[in-house]
Amino acid sequence: MAKKKRYVYRCVSGVSNYSNSRNKGRKSIKLLLYIVLFVFLVYFGGRKLVNLAYESDKIIVKSIEVVGTKNVTKTEIKELLPFETGDNILKINLSKTENEIKRLKPELKSIMINRSWQKVKIKLCERTPEAFVMQGDTVFGIDFDDNPFPLRGFMNAEKVPKLFYRSDVERKKLLSFIKSFKPMCGDFLSDVSEMKFSGAGDIIFVTHGNTVVFWGDGEPNVLSHKFNRFQKIYSDAMSKYKQIECIDMTLYSFGRATVKPVRE
């Protein structure tokens, strides 16, 4: 005899589903309100803390240290600062101050300002003249960045050549030659008083003993070998003659060099 199937009937209430949806909606609204309240407290609380820090008499500059000075004085650097001891240390705009001092002091290669608790440290790096240039009637220093700057302190005593040029392009080429020439010529560069280009575009330098050297082009590939050869010629000529009028190295690539002594 076949068994009768039993059926279970469940009654689903529409009112119950509606109530659950309302509860979930209320929880979402509460969560959103809590988040908004939290953000509000963090924002205004943070602003309050920042304002308190900016107004605090404990977060102030108590000392200013300047290091790296050789020719520039610490006093003149401090006088250029837009802040002083007693000012709030958080209000200092470091990058703006660095840029402004570099603009006013082109003899500085770099400046770095750091702040710590109640202290500001200023680290300077001064430029070193690699040559002298004329601007009007005034002698300026210039380095391999091609930036002329006023000579300060002991910069005038540097034994570097004075450059004579007809354009900025010639000046840059002379600086480039010195940069390549300096590592291999040793102390000889300190004996060079002037450096310039001839009308034909060859490099000429004059020694402190008034010897004119017609160097030729500044080809870097043969510079080391050419200088070694020149050094032997120059040393030999100095031992033979009291004074040398000129040494011509323009035909070096053809194996020729000419020495002309001063006639007595």
Side-chain angles (χ1 to χ4, degrees):
M1 184 176 178
K3 293 183 179 180
K4 292 183 178 181
K5 293 183 179 180
R6 292 183 179 181
Y7 296 92
V8 179
Y9 297 93
R10 293 181 180 178
C11 181
V12 179
S13 173
V15 176
S16 176
N17 287 339
Y18 176 72
S19 177
N20 290 336
S21 297
R22 287 186 63 185
N23 289 335
K24 289 180 180 179
R26 287 174 180 173
K27 289 180 180 179
S28 298
I29 292 172
K30 285 183 179 180
L31 180 61
L32 180 61
L33 289 174
Y34 286 143
I35 292 173
V36 171
L37 180 61
F38 176 76
V39 172
F40 178 83
L41 291 174
V42 169
Y43 175 74
F44 285 97
R47 286 190 62 182
K48 185 67 175 177
L49 288 174
V50 170
N51 290 335
L52 287 173
Y54 271 79
E55 295 170 3
S56 174
D57 58 355
K58 293 183 179 180
I59 310 178
I60 61 173
V61 180
K62 286 193 173 181
S63 67
I64 300 173
E65 182 184 7
V66 181
V67 297
T69 55
K70 296 178 181 178
N71 300 290
V72 178
T73 66
K74 296 179 181 181
T75 301
E76 64 184 292
I77 295 299
K78 288 182 179 181
E79 287 177 350
L80 294 175
L81 297 175
F83 57 87
E84 57 187 10
T85 54
D87 289 349
N88 191 294
I89 201 168
L90 297 178
K91 294 181 180 180
I92 301 172
N93 189 325
L94 299 182
S95 59
K96 183 179 179 181
T97 303
E98 290 171 350
N99 292 334
E100 182 64 13
I101 293 177
K102 282 189 71 175
R103 184 184 70 82
L104 296 171
K105 294 291 180 184
E107 60 267 38
L108 295 178
K109 189 176 182 67
S110 66
I111 175 171
M112 185 168 58
I113 305 177
N114 294 312
R115 58 186 159 198
S116 56
W117 180 249
Q118 298 183 334
K119 180 179 179 180
V120 174
K121 185 174 182 179
I122 303 168
K123 187 176 181 180
L124 307 177
C125 179
E126 297 181 7
R127 294 188 183 277
T128 300
E130 300 294 346
F132 295 135
V133 294
M134 297 296 298
Q135 290 193 350
D137 296 328
T138 307
V139 180
F140 280 74
I142 194 168
D143 60 6
F144 294 139
D145 291 336
D146 194 26
N147 289 321
F149 52 88
L151 298 174
R152 302 292 307 276
F154 296 104
M155 290 182 183
N156 287 287
E158 293 286 342
K159 293 183 177 181
V160 294
K162 185 182 290 185
L163 305 185
F164 293 91
Y165 49 89
R166 290 159 291 194
S167 66
D168 292 345
V169 174
E170 282 194 354
R171 185 186 68 228
K172 289 179 181 179
K173 286 182 177 180
L174 288 172
L175 282 173
S176 179
F177 173 75
I178 293 173
K179 188 175 183 179
S180 300
F181 191 55
K182 185 177 180 179
M184 58 192 65
C185 72
D187 295 332
F188 177 75
L189 193 60
S190 63
D191 192 39
V192 177
S193 61
E194 298 178 10
M195 193 173 290
K196 57 188 175 182
F197 279 104
S198 69
D202 293 324
I203 293 173
I204 300 173
F205 40 83
V206 182
T207 69
H208 288 290
N210 291 323
T211 298
V212 179
V213 179
F214 297 94
W215 183 261
D217 60 39
E219 178 59 44
N221 295 331
V222 297
L223 199 55
S224 178
H225 190 273
K226 186 175 182 178
F227 177 74
N228 289 336
R229 180 61 181 157
F230 164 77
Q231 198 171 28
K232 292 176 182 178
I233 294 170
Y234 184 65
S235 178
D236 183 60
M238 290 292 289
S239 65
K240 289 182 178 179
Y241 309 108
K242 289 184 178 180
Q243 192 173 357
I244 305 167
E245 182 177 328
C246 66
I247 298 176
D248 191 345
M249 298 289 293
T250 56
L251 298 177
Y252 166 79
S253 58
F254 297 98
R256 292 179 57 187
T258 304
V259 176
K260 183 179 180 181
V262 174
R263 292 183 179 180
E264 297 182 2

